Amino acid sequence: MSKISPLILSLFYEINTLKSKLKDEMSCEEINLSDTISSILSKIVEGRNLGKLDSDTNNNLLLEVLIINLQHRLFTLAQHCLDSMERPFTDVDFEFRIKFAEADLSVKKLGKDEQSFKKSALNVRIKGITTCQDALVASLKECNSSTIQSGCITLWNLCLPMLQPNLRNQIDDSLKLIATALEDLQSMLVLLRCQVHVELAKCYKDQERLIEALENFSKALNLDPNGQYKETIIYNMKCIDLKTNLYKKPESIEEKAGFLLEQAKAARNAKAKLQPLLLKVGEYLAPNTFNWGIKELSENSMNCSSFIVLRDKNKKKKKYSALIPL
């Protein structure tokens, strides 16, 4: 059995110690992260130049540091890690992990515009999603489960800002790929699988692919570990049920309001139809308060359409947190 050199042991120790400190908020505040990582990178490059690190060890150490840089948004150092790797790679799994990281970095380099909905920023994000998606498709045939799950997490993180109602239909193929890949692996990332099925079902619902939407909502319900999405899932399933069963009358007040809201969504481009539907929803959900409000508006000669507040398209509503690739 070959000995592991003191330099390799020292570098892995430094990297793992840094990871441990970064998990501790108190210790994290005491670290000058950029300087610490620069020091580690210098030792790796020096070890490689002196022949003390072979190609695979050099690349594995750089990957560990690269992941830290991506998590903490140190993009220049992340690019330095990529540039310092020795290519071509001999390990297939390693090669795909780098492809996922490169796609992630290409979007993170947008900096303050990363979460922006400007056309230029969206084009960069969509390109990154496409690159990651293509790599994930290829990895399904060649890589182990850990690498595939890492690719799924990266692709999901890239898709997060695109989950807006007016954007999510551009990523339905990506969501389907993630859902299928994790399902085939019987992945233990249960919460992620639940979230992906919820968002994929919403895409199908928008496209009137109601059977597929229902199937994905049902899968999400079975995967929901703590029941945190149960209310949303059941509400959407009831709405689809009412749509598909035309002769079934809504029973509860909430179902009646939900049924009218679905009609309102379909009529959102026809203002003449939209306003009466929304007024009726208000009467169902808060009859006394709503009618009093409308009366007050009428007495002040205000157009009751001003009572409807539309959500700003650019307002960020963060439902899910980004995950750390495995």
Side-chain angles (χ1 to χ4, degrees), residues 45-207:
V45 172
E46 185 183 355
R48 182 193 63 194
N49 292 338
L50 294 173
K52 294 181 179 180
L53 297 177
D54 61 46
S55 176
D56 287 346
T57 304
N58 173 74
N59 288 345
N60 283 321
L61 286 165
L62 288 170
L63 177 59
E64 293 288 329
V65 180
L66 171 62
I67 292 169
I68 296 172
N69 287 326
L70 287 173
Q71 288 168 10
H72 295 275
R73 309 184 67 78
L74 299 171
F75 309 133
T76 303
L77 290 172
Q79 188 62 56
H80 182 43
C81 289
L82 290 169
D83 294 339
S84 300
M85 289 180 179
E86 295 185 29
R87 305 176 190 235
F89 303 123
T90 56
D91 182 77
V92 175
D93 285 281
F94 185 90
E95 182 178 357
F96 279 102
R97 283 181 181 272
I98 296 304
K99 287 182 179 180
F100 300 143
E102 287 174 334
D104 191 20
L105 180 59
S106 70
V107 177
K108 281 189 164 69
K109 278 182 177 179
L110 287 168
K112 64 180 182 180
D113 288 330
E114 186 186 346
Q115 302 294 325
S116 169
F117 294 106
K118 294 176 186 175
K119 187 176 180 181
S120 57
L122 282 175
N123 287 340
V124 172
R125 180 170 293 280
I126 290 168
K127 186 177 178 181
I129 288 171
T130 303
T131 301
C132 188
Q133 182 176 313
D134 291 344
L136 181 55
V137 169
S139 74
L140 296 177
K141 299 176 183 177
E142 302 183 52
C143 296
N144 62 38
S145 59
S146 178
T147 302
I148 293 169
Q149 288 181 106
S150 181
C152 288
I153 289 171
T154 303
L155 184 55
W156 169 251
N157 288 342
L158 290 172
C159 287
L160 285 178
M162 301 286 287
L163 296 177
Q164 307 287 332
N166 58 325
L167 294 173
R168 63 185 172 216
N169 284 322
Q170 296 184 54
I171 56 165
D172 55 343
D173 287 341
S174 297
L175 295 176
K176 184 178 180 181
L177 175 62
I178 298 169
T180 304
L182 294 177
E183 186 174 21
D184 288 347
L185 291 173
Q186 287 296 294
S187 171
M188 296 303 290
L189 300 171
V190 181
L191 181 58
L192 173 60
R193 291 173 63 189
C194 171
Q195 292 169 342
V196 173
H197 280 297
V198 168
E199 294 303 324
L200 182 57
K202 288 179 182 177
C203 291
Y204 288 148
K205 187 182 171 190
D206 291 345
Q207 298 165 13

